[in-house]
Amino acid sequence: MPRSLLPRSPARKALLAAALLAALLPLSAAAAAEPGTLTVQPRPVEDLKAVFATVESVRETLARTRIGGTVADLTVTEGDKVTVGQVIATVRDPKLPLQLAALDARIQALTAQQHQAELELGRARQLRSSGTGTQQRLDDAQAALDVARAQIAAMEAERSVVAQQLREGEVLAPAAGRILQVKVIAGAVVMPGEPVASIATDTYILRLRLPERHARFLKEGDPVLVGQRGLAPVALADPGATALARGAVRQVYPEMAGGR
């Protein structure tokens, strides 16, 4: 067991204090004899901390179906880059082509009725001009022709609606970016409004999740040095010798979760 080097008795303590005071007095006298004064001033010292950040997109959006049906074509996969309006999938409803065919047949039948009504109106006009036909027959022929034309216009409008639904089977990219996740597979049955893929926009940020004790020191506009992945923390000791980019704090979120 080693012994202590400190004195044990009060007399020894007094002798040790006297010896230390005698040793310090010459130094104090020499310092007082030197000309000039020593000025102590506070100055800011950079305290750089190495933290990890994740690259994330500013916004994420979903490409959704506009009609229900079966996914016939799926042209993208995770990581693909897309542009605005690009077709990323096609949804087909087998009932829509049948409805178009039925409407086309009805339009042809109404067109034949319109042609017959035009012939009847022509004969009624000839008979009326010769005096052998009545005005009522002429009016009935004109009304029959107007009804046939109105029915054809209604059928054409209904056909346009079905044709538009058929075109809406194409799932379009709502924004330019990259596909993060494809949520369906080819052959899957989807409902109107169901998401097909999630897309990250082309604008990216570095998201930092720091301990909550740093919250009161962070504000928008603070400078940040950004390095490549795998940068050693010792590289921050000399930022000029390392390829570091400069950024700024864009937003401080007023939310804490898990102490961060």
Side-chain angles (χ1 to χ4, degrees):
M1 194 75 173
R3 295 182 178 180
S4 175
L5 300 178
L6 296 178
R8 297 180 179 179
S9 63
R12 291 183 178 180
K13 293 181 180 180
L15 290 175
L16 180 58
L20 291 175
L21 181 60
L24 292 175
L25 284 176
L27 295 177
S28 301
E34 292 180 0
T37 58
L38 181 62
T39 304
V40 179
Q41 295 180 350
R43 66 181 181 88
V45 178
E46 292 186 353
D47 186 16
L48 300 178
K49 301 292 184 181
V51 296
F52 294 98
T54 56
V55 179
E56 299 181 9
S57 59
V58 177
R59 293 182 181 87
E60 294 182 11
T61 183
L62 294 175
R64 299 180 180 271
T65 61
R66 293 177 287 179
I67 64 171
T70 305
V71 179
D73 298 322
L74 190 61
T75 60
V76 295
T77 186
E78 286 82 356
D80 290 348
K81 192 171 183 179
V82 296
T83 58
V84 179
Q86 178 178 340
V87 178
I88 63 177
T90 302
V91 177
R92 293 179 181 172
D93 187 352
K95 297 186 299 295
L96 295 179
L98 298 178
Q99 293 179 9
L100 284 178
L103 291 173
D104 288 338
R106 295 180 63 182
I107 289 175
Q108 291 179 358
L110 291 174
T111 302
Q113 293 181 8
Q114 178 184 355
H115 181 66
Q116 181 65 29
E118 290 174 351
L119 295 177
E120 291 291 338
L121 180 60
R123 286 193 293 266
R125 286 176 178 173
Q126 292 178 357
L127 293 175
R128 181 57 179 168
S129 62
S130 63
T132 57
T134 62
Q135 183 65 34
Q136 182 179 0
R137 183 177 179 180
L138 178 61
D139 294 339
D140 292 342
Q142 183 65 49
L145 179 59
D146 295 339
V147 170
R149 289 174 177 174
Q151 290 178 346
I152 290 176
M155 288 296 103
E156 289 178 347
E158 187 174 351
R159 188 188 186 282
S160 299
V161 172
V162 177
Q164 179 63 29
Q165 291 178 351
L166 191 61
R167 288 191 295 269
E168 288 179 353
E170 296 179 346
V171 181
L172 308 179
R178 288 191 179 274
I179 302 294
L180 291 182
Q181 185 180 7
V182 178
K183 301 180 180 294
V184 298
I185 60 174
V189 178
V190 294
M191 301 297 292
E194 187 171 343
V196 172
S198 59
I199 302 173
T201 58
D202 283 335
T203 305
Y204 298 96
I205 58 173
L206 287 175
R207 192 181 301 277
L208 303 175
R209 292 176 175 85
L210 304 177
E212 60 183 9
R213 64 179 180 272
H214 298 303
R216 61 192 181 97
F217 301 108
L218 293 175
K219 62 181 183 299
E220 294 183 8
D222 286 346
V224 178
L225 297 177
V226 182
Q228 298 293 331
R229 179 181 298 181
L231 181 67
V234 296
L236 295 177
D238 187 10
T242 310
L244 298 177
R246 294 188 177 273
V249 176
R250 174 178 176 181
Q251 184 178 5
V252 180
Y253 292 88
E255 179 184 2
M256 292 185 183
R260 306 181 73 82

